[in-house]
Amino acid sequence: MPTVSMTVNGKQVSADVEPNTLLVTFIRENLRLTGTHVGCDTSQCGACVVHVDGNSAKSCTMLAVQAEGAEITTIEGLAKGSDLHPMQKSFQENHGLQCGFCTTGMIMTAVDMVNKQDNLDDASIRKGLEGNICRCTGYQNIVKSVKAAAQEMEG
Amino acid sequence: MYDFDYKRPSTLDEAASLINEDSVLLAGGHTLLPTLKQRLAQPETLVDLSAIDSLRGVCPDGDKLAIGAMTTHAEVANKATIPALASLAGGIGDPQVRNRGTIGGSVANNDPAADYPAAVVGLNAVVNTNKRAISADDFFVDLFETALDEGEIITNVTFPTPDAAAYMKFDNPASRYAIVGVMVAKTSGGVRVAVTGAGPCVFRQSEMEAALSGDFSPRALENINVSADGLNSDIHASAEYRANLIKVLAKRAVAQING
């Protein structure tokens, strides 16, 4: 079994994994970081989005071995202690979630979007969220949350 | 997924030496991994090309643009100096697909609804491999079939800068795959019109090319009757609908070029 090493939320981790282990399985089952979800398992819903070297990626469509040497950030890596990340706080304040299953992926995608684009309007937020599906039909408040957080993050 | 071995070579030669009939190349993995999950393929070994640095990057080279095979769609969208190509790459899938999926993987897979084949054929690009250079018109053969030999590795795709070009796509709202996509380009070798999504494989619409060579305006396409024969028909669109879209999108592309 190959050994894979990567940095997850700032911590160096290493484990022996079968080559066909998905990154999301490694994150959830080896590292017990269960904030990253498996929704569709077919690269469509975005519940499994994490950051790989600063870019959002669907961790159900990556092998753990492909992340060798990478810097991974999961939802658990956003808050500083009990201080929530501005995007997390904004989802809370704007009722950007109902059941919450898609939320961690939404937030990881949204943080990547705000890091890379300035002056986000509703249309570009919706385009940026194309890879994330919410089945509670909560998009209105998700867009509102991202917009408010973007203003906060861009300061 | 079935079991497989995984190799991540750091040079092209090493990668070539690892290929045999039981191995497959892994680029961004956004087609291959879903295929493996569905157990539609059972390779013994995955040869991951991601550690070969020479396969990555967008490099202007005189009047050409060379794009490394392992360059992601997001990088092409941000860095390609041919606006029609950048815009095409920026419309593939969703942000996460664009952050992982690669031009080499897409071109080698030759999905009938993929966007890149329209860019490669429409802009008359050259697909370079570890063995030879293949012109766009010779590269795409049929449904999921290319001119690549077994074990041949795409190194980069070289796009000549067109005088003007535009890509118009009618996309599936869920997947963003092209129901039909049309690239129209004014190139040094004449007008080219490449169509993806509509048939089993990307193709050139020569009647439109001839019409646009005489009069580069949407009007010139008005009387062309696009046949539905041989076009795809599925739950998303009938062959007749796709035939109509070819004309609509070609006209829109010409209109965009003419500003």
Side-chain angles (χ1 to χ4, degrees):
Chain A
M1 240 192 293
T3 303
V4 64
S5 304
M6 63 189 90
T7 308
V8 178
N9 301 332
K11 259 178 35 191
Q12 184 71 33
V13 298
S14 191
D16 294 338
V17 295
E18 294 290 353
N20 64 0
T21 305
L22 295 173
L23 179 60
V24 69
T25 310
F26 178 75
I27 289 170
R28 287 178 56 85
E29 295 180 13
N30 288 63
L31 305 179
R32 308 302 295 166
L33 294 171
T34 53
T36 302
H37 295 161
V38 180
C40 68
D41 198 20
T42 55
S43 339
Q44 296 176 70
C45 81
C48 65
V49 170
V50 300
H51 295 177
V52 179
D53 293 326
N55 297 308
S56 62
K58 291 180 175 170
S59 60
C60 82
T61 310
M62 264 187 86
L63 302 170
V65 286
Q66 286 179 284
E68 171 65 34
E71 298 257 356
I72 309 287
T73 306
T74 71
I75 188 75
E76 290 90 345
L78 290 186
K80 304 250 184 301
S82 58
D83 287 340
L84 292 180
H85 184 281
M87 191 63 73
Q88 292 173 302
K89 216 181 297 176
S90 187
F91 270 69
Q92 188 181 48
E93 286 165 1
N94 292 288
H95 194 181
L97 61 147
Q98 291 185 47
C99 86
F101 195 85
C102 73
T103 310
T104 53
M106 288 283 178
I107 288 177
M108 297 312 286
T109 294
V111 169
D112 186 33
M113 194 193 318
V114 175
N115 285 343
K116 288 176 182 163
Q117 294 177 61
D118 294 330
N119 305 317
L120 283 164
D121 57 14
D122 283 17
S124 38
I125 292 171
R126 283 177 188 275
K127 184 162 166 47
L129 290 174
E130 276 182 352
N132 293 77
I133 295 173
C134 165
R135 292 292 76 155
C136 302
T137 70
Y139 294 107
Q140 292 293 353
N141 283 349
I142 290 170
V143 172
K144 202 168 136 194
S145 304
V146 177
K147 205 169 175 183
Q151 280 159 5
E152 166 91 20
M153 286 165 70
E154 284 163 18
Chain B
M1 278 187 277
Y2 293 113
D3 290 339
F4 50 75
D5 282 335
Y6 171 86
K7 307 276 186 204
R8 185 150 76 154
S10 53
T11 67
L12 200 55
D13 286 346
E14 195 188 341
S17 74
L18 291 168
I19 301 173
N20 57 46
E21 58 186 17
D22 296 318
S23 60
V24 292
L25 295 170
L26 172 62
H30 274 53
T31 298
L32 181 58
L33 294 181
T35 305
L36 294 177
K37 283 183 178 184
Q38 292 180 69
R39 298 194 168 189
L40 294 172
Q42 192 173 10
E44 272 180 18
T45 308
L46 262 55
V47 180
D48 183 354
L49 301 175
S50 66
I52 306 172
D53 291 340
S54 62
L55 295 181
R56 207 175 279 274
V58 177
C59 309
D61 175 14
D63 59 352
K64 296 190 174 77
L65 187 66
I67 300 181
M70 288 296 287
T71 310
T72 63
H73 309 325
E75 288 171 86
V76 175
N78 290 330
K79 294 180 190 160
T81 48
I82 300 171
L85 179 60
S87 136
L88 175 146
I92 298 173
D94 58 45
Q96 289 75 34
V97 169
R98 295 194 289 276
N99 282 339
R100 298 291 305 170
T102 66
I103 185 169
S106 170
V107 166
N109 189 47
N110 192 16
D111 189 299
D115 296 292
Y116 270 126
V120 173
V121 172
L123 301 173
N124 198 18
V126 173
V127 180
N128 297 295
T129 76
N130 56 338
K131 293 179 182 162
R132 58 190 168 137
I134 308 170
S135 73
D137 288 335
D138 296 332
F139 184 83
F140 300 100
V141 176
D142 206 341
L143 186 79
F144 293 110
E145 191 185 335
T146 68
L148 290 170
D149 290 333
E150 188 121 337
E152 194 170 5
I153 304 173
I154 298 176
T155 52
N156 69 44
V157 184
T158 311
F159 293 89
T161 304
D163 298 332
Y167 179 66
M168 288 289 157
K169 152 161 95 157
F170 191 85
D171 54 11
N172 178 315
S175 69
R176 299 298 176 199
Y177 268 112
I179 290 176
V180 175
V182 179
M183 174 71 87
V184 176
K186 282 173 150 175
T187 74
S188 56
V191 176
R192 293 173 73 94
V193 177
V195 180
T196 190
C201 178
V202 64
F203 61 88
R204 285 173 67 184
Q205 227 295 351
S206 44
E207 208 180 336
M208 288 184 176
E209 291 179 353
L212 292 170
S213 299
D215 171 15
F216 196 85
S217 73
R219 195 177 52 242
L221 303 177
E222 200 57 62
N223 295 322
I224 291 178
N225 183 26
V226 180
S227 164
D229 286 351
L231 297 187
N232 301 335
S233 208
D234 55 30
I235 57 165
H236 306 300
S238 65
E240 291 73 20
Y241 191 75
R242 283 185 160 90
N244 184 58
L245 278 177
I246 292 172
K247 188 148 112 182
V248 169
L249 296 170
K251 283 162 76 177
R252 285 184 192 167
V254 172
Q256 181 178 314
I257 291 171
N258 287 348

